[in-house]
Amino acid sequence: MEKSLTKSFMNRTTKAQGKRLSIPGLIVMLIGLVFVIVSPMILSNYRLNLVITILRIAYLAQCWNLMSGYCGQFSFGHAAFFGIGAYTSSLLYTELGVSPWFGMFVGMAVAGVVGAIIGVLSFVYNLKGDYFALVTLAFAEILRVITKNTDFLKAAQGVSITFKKNWKVMQFPTKAGFVYFALALLVLITLFLFIIQRTKMGQYFIAIRENEDAARALGINVFKFKMIALILSAMLTAVAGTFYSQYYLHIDPEIVFVSSVSVDAIIPCILGGVGTVFGPIVGAFIIEPVSELTNVYLSGLPGMNMVTYGLILVVVIIALPHGVLGFVDSISKKLGKKATSPKTSGEKEA
Amino acid sequence: MAVSITQSLIDGLLMGGVYALAALGVSLIFGVMKITNFAHGALITVGMFVAYFMFAQLGVSPYVSLPITILVMFLLGYGIQKLTINPIITAPSHNQLLLTQGLSIVLENLLLVLFTANYKSISLPGFDKAIKFGALSINKPKLIAFGLVVLASLGVYLLLQKTDIGHAISATSVQREGATLMGIKVERINAIAFGIGVACAGVAGALLAPIQYISPTVGEGFQLKCFVIAVFGGLGNIWGAVVAGLIIGVVESVASLALGGSWSEMVIYLIFILVLLFKPTGLFGKKTR
């Protein structure tokens, strides 16, 4: 009885999720992939900057997607894990000469531990929704204050890394190196999400998101899977922090531990489609060029670029509550209904 | 030592009052709409600039122009709710949060466009001298702000307790469906409640304007404090917010005396986490979850 219930639930969710992986969608993704691969040959360094930003933000959004999109644990404090990754690898490198390739993994471990602490505290006390989001925000703020006031962590002035142009210390001589590194990270995490979604664990995540009490009633160890989602997400986010510091070569508490980093992780996901494999990528490919365009064309009046950016954000959230992919989905469903006989297979999933 | 502690208690209490009023807005909005308003800090700043604008252009002191500030901010809040919050009132909370964050970006940068990033201040002749009690001194704008905050909080309380609209707001925050069934126009109540919440932020901003410098991003620092206070007092609980505001004001002031300015923030966030974990229903919450 229990098993069959779980199964029917899982069938329902896979069906709804499976819809997102249509052939046209895959083609669009492949075109995007090819474009990024050839971009170092056709684009100027200035434009490659934008490509790297898109990939970096898409990766960050995928990290958020894992825990908040799939598992429904709404984080507003991903800056905490991002900052931990950035600071761990950078300080290990500048103070002890440890290569960031190794420091990256140390950062993942530290972020995982901090994630575990946040998770145990919040989930034991059964924090949900906005309350959980506020706790994650508070932890990120605490890390900011600690870092800002600790000389050992370089306090407010932050950490600066000298540019050595050596891939052994995660500094690539050309922008192309960074493009491919960021692309590799994004492809890996996307494959990871794609696979996870097809495993039992991924289905448990979705079950928890849809209805935690029902999931518990079905015998799913809700606490365990929420912890797994949070810790995995925290560790992967730390990698984004290491990448940031190696690319921009300077970090300080007001750059990496601020809520705008957490917002960066959320926007592409909501814009593209929460809890979908490709949503965050689509979102990042839309929002970052838009932000760049507003920067370029509205630079005359300081602030006007951000006003436009904010307005676009507000309008999109109102107009496309399920993101671009959700919108495409509903359009294709409507067209499908008109063209073929009504084959009502799936209820609409949020 | 005793003097400096008493002094920081007084300062903390006075500032705590202003925090309390701003947080009361957060609490009211959450109570009625179950939305955490991430634009609240920006709206406090808007209140500051409304007061500054009338001071700079017309020479009117923020205390005299307060009724206009209240009206402007209420209408702003009412409009924002109708146009942007109402369409997503049933959306998942991350959408709502991101929307209010988007509004915050728009408001802050609109102020930047209109007033530039240069720091501004309001100096009122006759108000810059502190009142002395022996070794203790009381900053006049802070004292006036505290007095007006008490009046404003009382006003909100009476509005909620004694008027039909207030009853409808309270009913909606307790039981949404029930309120609809009783013929309350919930959409309109939402917009009015949001307007009142924003007016609270605006008044707090206007009262802060003579106390500290004014710039488009200055409200950010107050926003998290508002959340701390609103949760501490129990989201949706008006008097809870007032008491919690006074407590947080005093804690902040004493902590900065004991630990230094920037570490005092830490104490507040720690309180925040402890409250969220152990008593998310707040000081006067009936049951812990």
Side-chain angles (χ1 to χ4, degrees), chain A residues 49-350:
Chain A
N49 229 350
L50 177 61
V51 174
I52 292 169
T53 306
I54 293 173
L55 297 171
R56 184 171 69 77
I57 296 292
Y59 174 88
L60 190 61
Q62 288 289 36
C63 298
W64 188 84
N65 196 20
L66 172 63
M67 146 184 184
S68 307
Y70 280 100
C71 198
Q73 304 309 305
F74 174 23
S75 158
F76 199 77
H78 260 51
F81 313 127
F82 182 87
I84 288 172
Y87 264 94
T88 309
S89 65
S90 300
L91 283 173
L92 280 176
Y93 176 54
T94 56
E95 302 303 294
L96 302 172
V98 178
S99 164
W101 288 111
F102 180 74
M104 180 173 85
F105 291 101
V106 182
M108 287 173 83
V110 179
V113 170
V114 172
I117 294 170
I118 297 175
V120 167
L121 286 173
S122 313
F123 298 148
V124 163
Y125 290 100
N126 206 13
L127 282 188
K128 286 179 199 155
D130 286 15
Y131 288 97
F132 178 71
L134 287 174
V135 159
T136 57
L137 170 61
F139 269 99
E141 285 295 312
I142 282 185
L143 289 177
R144 184 178 63 82
V145 177
I146 290 177
T147 316
K148 209 170 73 179
N149 292 293
T150 310
D151 291 333
F152 167 69
L153 299 171
K154 305 288 171 211
Q157 86 216 32
V159 186
S160 290
I161 298 170
T162 43
F163 193 37
K164 286 227 178 97
K165 289 200 175 190
N166 185 347
W167 68 270
K168 281 183 186 160
V169 292
M170 210 189 268
Q171 290 175 2
F172 303 98
T174 59
K175 293 255 178 196
F178 282 103
V179 171
Y180 292 135
F181 181 36
L183 180 65
L185 289 176
L186 178 59
V187 169
L188 280 177
I189 198 171
T190 306
L191 278 178
F192 182 65
L193 280 181
F194 182 75
I195 292 167
I196 271 202
Q197 184 187 269
R198 259 125 236 276
T199 61
K200 246 192 192 135
M201 189 164 78
Q203 297 305 322
Y204 292 160
F205 285 171
I206 294 168
I208 291 168
R209 175 190 73 196
E210 293 299 314
N211 189 333
E212 199 176 310
D213 295 327
R216 193 176 287 118
L218 290 172
I220 297 173
N221 188 340
V222 170
F223 177 77
K224 181 177 140 194
F225 286 103
K226 285 204 286 194
M227 286 298 288
I228 292 176
L230 198 167
I231 292 172
L232 278 178
S233 178
M235 291 172 76
L236 293 168
T237 307
V239 175
T242 300
F243 180 90
Y244 181 94
S245 57
Q246 290 306 114
Y247 182 61
Y248 289 101
L249 302 170
H250 175 78
I251 52 170
D252 68 48
E254 302 298 330
I255 293 176
V256 296
F257 283 121
V258 285
S259 60
S260 63
V261 173
S262 305
V263 174
D264 275 345
I266 303 174
I267 290 177
C269 210
I270 291 180
L271 200 61
V274 172
T276 62
V277 174
F278 292 130
I281 303 177
V282 172
F285 267 88
I286 294 172
I287 196 69
E288 290 307 324
V290 163
S291 143
E292 179 69 17
L293 282 177
T294 57
N295 283 344
V296 171
Y297 287 103
L298 298 167
S299 57
L301 207 53
M304 206 56 215
N305 58 338
M306 290 304 283
V307 173
T308 317
Y309 175 84
L311 280 177
I312 292 171
L313 200 61
V314 167
V315 169
V316 168
I317 294 170
I318 294 171
L320 307 174
H322 301 295
V324 173
L325 290 194
F327 178 68
V328 171
D329 230 33
S330 64
I331 294 269
S332 61
K333 250 180 211 161
K334 263 183 207 161
L335 290 176
K337 252 182 203 165
K338 269 180 196 165
T340 60
S341 59
K343 202 174 65 180
T344 42
S345 57
E347 301 95 303
K348 205 176 173 312
E349 288 289 319

Side-chain angles (χ1 to χ4, degrees), chain A residues 64 68 74 76 121-122 125-131 133-135 137-139 141-142 144-146 148-150 259 263 266-267 270 274 301-304 306-307 309-311 313-314 317-318 321-322, chain B residues 30 34-36 38 83-85 87-88 91-99 101-103 105-106 109-113 224 227 231 235 262-266 269-270 272-273 276-278 280-281 289:
Chain A
W64 188 84
S68 307
F74 174 23
F76 199 77
L121 286 173
S122 313
Y125 290 100
N126 206 13
L127 282 188
K128 286 179 199 155
D130 286 15
Y131 288 97
L134 287 174
V135 159
L137 170 61
F139 269 99
E141 285 295 312
I142 282 185
R144 184 178 63 82
V145 177
I146 290 177
K148 209 170 73 179
N149 292 293
T150 310
S259 60
V263 174
I266 303 174
I267 290 177
I270 291 180
V274 172
L301 207 53
M304 206 56 215
M306 290 304 283
V307 173
Y309 175 84
L311 280 177
L313 200 61
V314 167
I317 294 170
I318 294 171
H322 301 295
Chain B
F30 188 92
K34 307 291 175 274
I35 285 176
T36 310
F38 271 73
L83 280 175
T84 66
I85 313 267
I88 56 138
S93 67
H94 42 72
N95 282 28
Q96 297 172 336
L97 200 154
L98 195 61
L99 183 111
Q101 180 74 36
L103 289 174
I105 295 173
V106 172
N109 288 285
L110 210 54
L111 292 174
L112 186 64
V113 171
L224 204 57
F227 293 164
V231 172
L235 281 167
S262 49
W263 281 111
S264 71
E265 277 181 88
M266 182 91 174
Y269 300 145
L270 279 176
F272 190 32
I273 290 177
L276 280 167
L277 293 177
F278 297 108
T281 49
R289 285 187 308 166

